[in-house]
Amino acid sequence: MSTSLLYHGFGIRGYRYAKTEYVEGGLVFHLTQDPKTCRCSACGSSKVAPRGEGERRFRGLPIGSKRVTLVLPIPRVACGDCGLVRQVAVGFAEPRRSYTKSFARYVLELSRLMTIKDVAIHLGVSWDIVKEIQKQDLQRRFGKPQLKHLRRLAIDEISVGKGHRYVTLVLDLESGAVMHVGEGKGRDALTHFWKRLRASGAKIEAVATDMSPAYIEAVMTNLPQATLVFDRFHVIKLFNDKLSDLRRDLHRQATDSLHKQVLKGTRWLLLKRPENLDPARNEQARLAEALQLNAPLATAYYLKEDLAEVWEQEDQETAQAFLLDWILQAESSGIRMLINFAKTLRLHAHGILAYYDYPISTGPLEGTNNKIKTMKRQAYGFRDQDFLKLKIYAIHESKYALVG
Ligand SMILES: [Zn+2]
């Protein structure tokens, strides 16, 4: 080892190599600092007088599988200019960190390919140190997302962890990046985002959300100029939920045992796309039988198939006529579930048809949601909420393939 190897191999400059100790599984390099290079860490003055020293140890880049520890007696100096007495700054490590900057960079490089646990084992440091290094990197890159360029957003809540824990996400539909992670769901989860968005001066054209009153109110209040687009998949899912309820009610009301038998187990057949029905399992025939026996179910089922077509029309005008026709059919069906749903669509028709002005949806958030689920499965629980949030901001980059 030499002073110049310290520089070229370990990125440590401005220190002298003193000696090497060989300890079990590792190497310990002792460094010293030339008193002439000491500066006041507060004002940068070179007019300093020595006031003792305090030894510190740092983890450095390993040599092969050997751990490397750097030991440096850090001079304490009294400054002739500002009068303070303090330790001089360490050039190769961040304040209060027990590892060098190049060690931290190496941890980040390994983190692209390995889990936190694997990196920790490989380098012989704690899980918490690897996590801390990742967290600082994420904080630096994602701590304050730039919002000024935003034009089109998707907002939705996703469930995280057990129980009913939610986070509300705002996605930039152009880049796919998460712009906000709010605790919980509903209005409060977005308060902070609106504040930052206003300050950024961004001009939002359109926002995709579901039809929940909280989002409608929030967007209308905070972005009165933006077009609100109701997400097509949420509308269809809502209908499918109602269809399942209807089938269950009909099953419960059915007195005839054959009738009951036929309705039993048809829930998935009703929700399946017709082209996905499996002839080998007799699914078409079973569905047809259930529909034939039950007029209300058949009406609802055919309206379900039609509903998806609202978003497949030539243009907005045709879509509007199509939607109105759907609503009229549902209203005249005499089936309470369909009448109620028609009412919902009437109330929200504007935001449904806005799809033809801005063909956006919250669909991309579904992809983000899946990535978060995968990430959480790999992780040893995200007890650190801030870390989880930062991970979510970084998720579209997939810079860290794994978390665990
Ligand atoms: Zn000073």
Side-chain angles (χ1 to χ4, degrees):
M1 178 49 78
S2 66
T3 297
S4 94
L5 185 56
L6 268 183
Y7 172 39
H8 292 290
F10 295 85
I12 291 170
R13 180 179 3 191
Y15 296 86
R16 286 183 189 150
Y17 165 71
K19 63 172 180 179
T20 301
E21 267 181 278
Y22 298 93
V23 297
E24 202 184 327
L27 301 158
V28 182
F29 297 143
H30 290 261
L31 317 179
T32 59
Q33 181 165 6
D34 184 342
K36 287 202 287 287
T37 66
C38 289
R39 300 283 178 276
C40 170
S41 60
C43 73
S45 168
S46 59
K47 276 191 255 165
V48 292
R51 287 286 186 276
E53 56 193 25
E55 185 182 275
R56 280 184 63 197
R57 301 170 82 86
F58 303 88
R59 284 301 302 274
L61 288 173
I63 298 179
S65 59
K66 300 284 183 204
R67 292 176 200 178
V68 166
T69 306
L70 304 162
V71 180
L72 175 68
I74 302 174
R76 200 177 295 114
V77 296
C79 177
D81 281 335
C82 71
L84 292 171
V85 176
R86 54 178 61 191
Q87 277 193 343
V88 301
V90 178
F92 56 79
E94 297 291 348
R96 292 179 302 281
R97 301 298 172 204
S98 62
Y99 42 82
T100 65
K101 289 176 188 170
S102 52
F103 183 82
R105 278 195 297 274
Y106 188 49
V107 164
L108 293 174
E109 280 166 26
L110 292 179
S111 296
R112 288 168 178 254
L113 307 164
M114 297 159 73
T115 64
I116 293 179
K117 192 182 170 194
D118 289 340
V119 175
I121 291 170
H122 178 65
L123 295 176
V125 292
S126 70
W127 193 93
D128 289 315
I129 283 189
V130 177
K131 190 202 97 174
E132 177 188 270
I133 290 170
Q134 283 194 9
K135 188 174 172 180
Q136 279 163 13
D137 178 55
L138 291 167
Q139 185 68 44
R140 189 176 51 75
R141 294 187 299 133
F142 299 103
K144 289 202 174 92
Q146 294 297 309
L147 306 181
K148 195 178 172 18
H149 64 284
L150 292 178
R151 296 290 175 267
R152 296 179 181 196
L153 306 175
I155 306 175
D156 202 1
E157 72 268 359
I158 60 165
S159 119
V160 288
K162 296 187 191 86
H164 292 279
R165 273 203 47 222
Y166 287 91
V167 293
T168 299
L169 302 182
V170 180
L171 199 74
D172 172 9
L173 284 171
E174 286 168 320
S175 72
V178 174
M179 289 290 122
H180 175 72
V181 184
E183 301 267 355
K185 57 180 181 174
R187 205 182 52 179
D188 294 347
L190 289 167
T191 311
H192 186 58
F193 175 72
W194 300 129
K195 215 176 277 175
R196 287 194 300 128
L197 192 64
R198 240 190 322 277
S200 77
K203 297 203 167 33
I204 305 298
E205 296 169 349
V207 185
T209 67
D210 64 24
M211 296 187 287
S212 75
Y215 289 143
I216 297 172
E217 197 221 302
V219 173
M220 282 173 42
T221 310
N222 293 285
L223 297 171
Q225 308 298 321
T227 300
L228 183 56
V229 181
F230 293 126
D231 173 58
R232 57 188 293 186
F233 304 107
H234 275 92
V235 177
I236 290 170
K237 184 179 179 300
L238 188 62
F239 189 83
N240 281 342
D241 291 346
K242 304 285 180 204
L243 182 62
S244 294
D245 293 347
L246 177 68
R247 187 207 62 90
R248 205 189 45 227
D249 291 347
L250 292 169
H251 179 256
R252 200 187 296 127
Q253 288 158 18
T255 44
D256 189 305
S257 73
L258 168 71
H259 200 149
K260 246 186 152 72
Q261 185 104 42
V262 169
L263 278 174
K264 197 175 177 214
T266 51
R267 180 167 169 242
W268 293 109
L269 302 182
L270 286 165
L271 300 183
K272 261 189 167 178
R273 297 175 73 91
E275 61 269 27
N276 295 338
L277 291 168
D278 184 359
R281 291 171 158 184
N282 222 11
E283 289 185 344
Q284 276 106 334
R286 280 167 60 207
L287 180 60
E289 195 183 3
L291 295 180
Q292 206 175 5
L293 262 173
N294 209 294
L297 195 61
T299 308
Y301 179 75
Y302 295 120
L303 279 171
K304 165 197 125 99
E305 288 192 350
D306 273 356
L307 184 61
E309 300 294 315
V310 169
W311 290 271
E312 304 290 347
Q313 302 299 308
E314 281 285 292
D315 52 40
Q316 195 170 47
E317 208 176 321
T318 325
Q320 186 168 14
F322 188 95
L323 179 62
L324 184 61
D325 186 57
W326 193 100
I327 289 171
L328 291 173
Q329 280 187 60
E331 281 172 348
S332 59
S333 68
I335 303 161
R336 189 149 37 97
M337 168 276 200
L338 292 175
I339 295 168
N340 288 341
F341 201 83
K343 193 173 161 193
T344 303
L345 292 192
R346 261 191 200 282
L347 279 169
H348 298 87
H350 188 75
I352 290 170
L353 297 167
Y355 177 78
Y356 288 89
D357 296 319
Y358 296 96
I360 58 174
S361 80
T362 62
L365 267 172
E366 209 46 51
T368 304
N369 191 7
N370 290 335
K371 285 185 194 166
I372 293 171
K373 282 189 183 135
T374 310
M375 186 172 90
K376 285 182 63 69
R377 266 200 299 278
Q378 291 165 348
Y380 285 101
F382 278 100
R383 283 163 304 228
D384 181 345
Q385 279 303 299
D386 293 334
F387 187 52
L388 173 62
K389 278 193 192 177
L390 286 166
K391 283 282 190 188
I392 294 174
Y393 281 116
I395 214 158
H396 72 291
E397 281 196 351
S398 305
K399 181 167 174 173
Y400 307 115
L402 302 153
V403 179

